Amino acid sequence: MSVILSILAAGSLPALIFGAPVPSLLSRDVAVADVQSLQTRSSSSYTTLFGGDGTTAAGWPSMDSWVATYDEMFEANKATMSAGCSAYGFENDSEDEINDINNAIKSVSASSGVDARFILAIVMQESTGCVRVGGTNNGVFNPGLMQSHNGKGTCNTGVPLSPCPSDEITQMITDGTTGTVDGPGLQQLLQEAASPKYGASGATMYYLAARMYNSGSIAPDGNLGQGGATACYASDVANRLLGWSTGPTACQAAEIASLTYAKPASGGDSSPAPTTTTDPVASATAPAVSVTVSLDPTATATPTATPIDTTPVAPPTTTTTTTPPPAATSAATSSTSSATTTLLGPVYPGAVSTCQQWTLVVSGDYCLEVENDVGISASQFMDWNPGLDAACSNLWLGYEYCVKA
Ligand SMILES: *[C@@H]1O[C@H](CO)[C@@H](O)[C@H](O)[C@H]1NC(C)=O
């Protein structure tokens, strides 16, 4: 984060709610997608200049083509990370410090719901993982591994600290991921990207959030190679998510700003990413969602441990309980949809204002099931929830959708 002026005032951000868009692998009337094994890219170099608005239509990578697992991505970045301090002239990270970074990313990812691969990409982008990195100040102090928005975590308040204590490392990852009292972190920016203002879903949310993390805003025309600060930032982050872990960026600020589509980097591997399909069976093992959102606007909900956007809403394997939920905190564990007038989660922002009944989207839901369970047609469901796409690929987990108006 280099120049964040507080465009997103902390007070204007939504409460910490669970409910990022959930990529659906299920077409509207197909309950179980074909099972294919997950493929990953193998290139560790910078393959593509990602120009334009961050959409797959403009050639940006979908999450299917990201490095398959966080562990694999961390391993691939370890060597670069262990030499990361040399650019700053400080003592390199020790094995213990690198292990602490790894554990901090995993634990903050689990508690915030932000994809660990995205956190790691931002760490590498901001500091090359150097725990002793200094802070910058271009109006806002940006310290630590993620150069957070005036965060508390740092191992360099003028003098590089060695060893860097593990709680300080965790604080740096927390500041950048979940935000600070002064400014947003990745978690809030992902929500901003998914909000009606931008309406992003899937991988695009992450590319928009990366742009906002770096410069605080997105250029009016939506081009992520513009908007101030580091022009190549979003393209760099996309390459990191695809596996870039060694060598310099192939992106030039002057070129990226005028691109509106993805273009093979010169000298890089220009072969397109393989088309992949996430295994829905594996995805179905994701933890059940427990929505703990309170309707009290002054209350702060605790996000659950399910990572944002990596858990497709998979079809249920069983039909379950008709027992009314005893409390809001456990209501969302049911996989049976029912219409209610009592809200147990945040309202889907696109829902019609005349809505009379709602249903909470829980883990296991998909459009056809919701429609069948509450007895409405697909066109009614879409009419009452503008923004839902025809393929139902953007149902948001943990949100209340309108089922009667
Ligand atoms: C950090 O690691 C790099 C790469 O191994 C090395 O060239 C450099 O000398 C190291 N810096 C220090 C201060 O040890």
Side-chain angles (χ1 to χ4, degrees):
M1 179 178 288
S2 11
V3 190
I4 291 280
L5 301 171
S6 198
I7 292 165
L8 300 168
S12 70
L13 291 166
L16 300 182
I17 44 182
F18 179 82
V22 176
S24 169
L25 300 163
L26 308 170
S27 73
R28 181 162 279 285
D29 44 23
V30 177
V32 180
D34 289 336
V35 175
Q36 289 182 22
S37 62
L38 193 70
Q39 298 172 280
T40 60
R41 289 171 67 100
S42 55
S43 177
S44 64
S45 58
Y46 202 109
T47 59
T48 313
L49 302 182
F50 290 107
D53 62 6
T55 61
T56 48
W60 290 64
S62 67
M63 291 181 79
D64 292 348
S65 46
W66 290 7
V67 178
T69 67
Y70 164 75
D71 287 339
E72 190 183 323
M73 184 170 162
F74 193 86
E75 270 311 305
N77 279 280
K78 245 175 153 174
T80 302
M81 186 179 280
S82 69
C85 282
S86 52
Y88 307 99
F90 303 140
E91 187 183 333
N92 287 326
D93 291 1
S94 67
E95 274 289 320
D96 282 351
E97 288 166 336
I98 288 175
N99 285 338
D100 287 342
I101 294 173
N102 189 9
N103 290 333
I105 292 175
K106 286 197 273 202
S107 93
V108 175
S109 169
S111 59
S112 67
V114 176
D115 193 301
R117 295 169 297 181
F118 187 52
I119 302 175
L120 175 58
I122 299 295
V123 166
M124 294 306 289
Q125 185 69 18
E126 294 285 348
S127 65
T128 328
C130 172
V131 293
R132 276 168 285 281
V133 68
T136 55
N137 196 335
N138 297 302
V140 172
F141 182 51
N142 298 143
L145 284 164
M146 298 180 74
Q147 301 282 281
S148 68
H149 192 120
N150 205 19
K152 288 185 291 212
T154 176
C155 269
N156 188 336
T157 47
V159 182
L161 184 61
S162 183
C164 180
S166 87
D167 58 352
E168 208 62 58
I169 289 172
T170 301
Q171 187 65 49
M172 293 189 240
I173 301 298
T174 302
D175 292 342
T177 304
T178 65
T180 67
V181 290
D182 295 314
L186 300 180
Q187 185 178 31
Q188 291 80 19
L189 295 173
L190 284 164
Q191 288 171 353
E192 179 82 4
S195 74
K197 181 175 177 190
Y198 296 111
S201 61
T204 304
M205 282 191 328
Y206 295 85
Y207 309 135
L208 266 59
R211 166 46 59 221
M212 291 190 273
Y213 191 75
N214 174 240
S215 51
S217 63
I218 293 173
D221 70 357
N223 190 318
L224 302 185
Q226 298 170 12
T230 307
C232 290
Y233 197 94
S235 178
D236 286 356
V237 168
N239 275 275
R240 292 185 189 285
L241 291 165
L242 290 177
W244 171 44
S245 55
T246 57
T249 178
C251 175
Q252 309 265 339
E255 184 178 12
I256 201 79
S258 59
L259 281 184
T260 54
Y261 55 91
K263 172 178 179 268
S266 48
D269 164 16
S270 61
S271 60
T275 307
T276 57
T277 305
T278 308
D279 178 351
V281 173
S283 302
T285 62
V289 179
S290 162
V291 174
T292 53
V293 175
S294 163
L295 294 175
D296 176 355
T298 61
T300 302
T302 308
T304 64
T306 307
I308 284 181
D309 205 26
T310 56
T311 311
V313 173
T317 50
T318 53
T319 33
T320 47
T321 173
T322 51
T323 313
T329 50
S330 60
T333 55
S334 162
S335 64
T336 299
S337 306
S338 61
T340 63
T341 52
T342 311
L343 292 170
L344 300 173
V347 169
Y348 172 64
V352 293
S353 59
T354 52
C355 189
Q356 293 165 25
Q357 281 190 354
W358 306 86
T359 192
L360 182 67
V361 168
V362 301
S363 186
D365 276 349
Y366 50 103
C367 286
L368 186 65
E369 191 227 26
V370 172
E371 291 152 13
N372 287 345
D373 281 350
V374 299
I376 59 171
S377 69
S379 63
Q380 284 174 316
F381 196 45
M382 287 178 65
D383 284 351
W384 295 331
N385 300 283
L388 257 185
D389 66 33
C392 189
S393 67
N394 58 347
L395 203 56
W396 294 8
L397 203 55
Y399 274 75
E400 292 277 1
Y401 279 73
C402 187
V403 291
K404 183 180 175 191

